[in-house]
Amino acid sequence: MSRLDELNQDMKIAMKAKDKEKLSTIRMLKSALQNEQINKGDELTDEDELTILSREKKQRVESLNEFKAAGRDDLVVKLEKEIGIVDTYLPAQLSEEDIREIVQDTVEQTQSSSMKDMGKVMGALMPRVKGKADGNLVNSIVKEELNK
């Protein structure tokens, strides 16, 4: 079942339960997927859907940080709930230990030894962790490994 079908089913459930917050978030996610499908002019692959949902989560996390800095606790609570809902449609996130193992493995595979090889490592690494790990965390771990 595609994520779009899953969103449709969950949208019906949220409507029946009169869960306005969940319904609103699901509609935004569904809209983002449908817009991308229209722009692409073809069915979305699982990887495409994952990319779009990851982008939606990233936007919310960035907004959350800005709202926290501005002291807008009302919006912080709302965005935290939205992020939780978006997370249900994304694969389970890798732990920091798992990311470190994958980074070390990738550094060895690409025979990288310095920060000059950062692009090569990230290029090989990101397809392996796409949607499963925060890019900023991955980036910092790669820098740490290359600076050893």
Side-chain angles (χ1 to χ4, degrees):
M1 175 191 321
S2 75
R3 284 186 173 82
L4 203 51
D5 295 335
E6 189 178 349
L7 285 167
N8 280 326
Q9 285 183 338
D10 290 350
M11 189 168 75
K12 290 175 189 172
I13 293 168
M15 282 179 179
K16 289 177 183 174
K18 296 184 188 325
D19 187 347
K20 291 180 182 177
E21 289 175 346
K22 186 170 186 177
L23 181 61
S24 170
T25 304
I26 291 172
R27 283 183 172 152
M28 283 190 278
L29 295 175
K30 186 178 168 200
S31 174
L33 289 171
Q34 288 175 326
N35 286 338
E36 193 68 30
Q37 190 171 4
I38 291 167
N39 291 340
K40 186 176 179 186
D42 196 14
E43 289 293 315
L44 295 175
T45 64
D46 194 46
E47 190 173 313
D48 292 336
E49 291 178 340
L50 191 60
T51 301
I52 295 163
L53 293 175
S54 295
R55 183 177 58 216
E56 291 294 316
K57 179 180 178 182
K58 182 179 178 184
Q59 288 173 350
R60 283 166 176 75
V61 169
E62 289 171 357
S63 296
L64 179 72
N65 293 333
E66 290 176 20
F67 290 146
K68 280 182 179 177
R72 294 291 312 266
D73 295 333
D74 55 329
L75 296 174
V76 167
V77 171
K78 181 179 184 272
L79 275 175
E80 285 174 342
K81 288 179 184 175
E82 284 185 15
I83 290 168
I85 294 167
V86 174
D87 279 340
T88 62
Y89 299 101
L90 291 169
Q93 297 293 295
L94 295 170
S95 69
E96 190 171 333
E97 293 171 13
D98 293 337
I99 296 170
R100 282 189 191 284
E101 287 178 27
I102 295 170
V103 167
Q104 289 167 352
D105 183 42
T106 305
V107 168
E108 288 173 18
Q109 287 177 355
T110 58
Q111 299 173 346
S112 301
S113 58
S114 70
M115 286 301 291
K116 292 178 189 174
D117 300 323
M118 178 87 171
K120 183 167 55 169
V121 173
M122 290 299 285
L125 179 64
M126 287 314 287
R128 294 175 66 186
V129 298
K130 188 174 191 172
K132 299 176 194 168
D134 177 43
N136 293 329
L137 178 60
V138 172
N139 192 340
S140 66
I141 292 173
V142 169
K143 285 179 182 175
E144 206 175 284
E145 286 297 318
L146 292 177
N147 282 326
K148 282 186 177 179

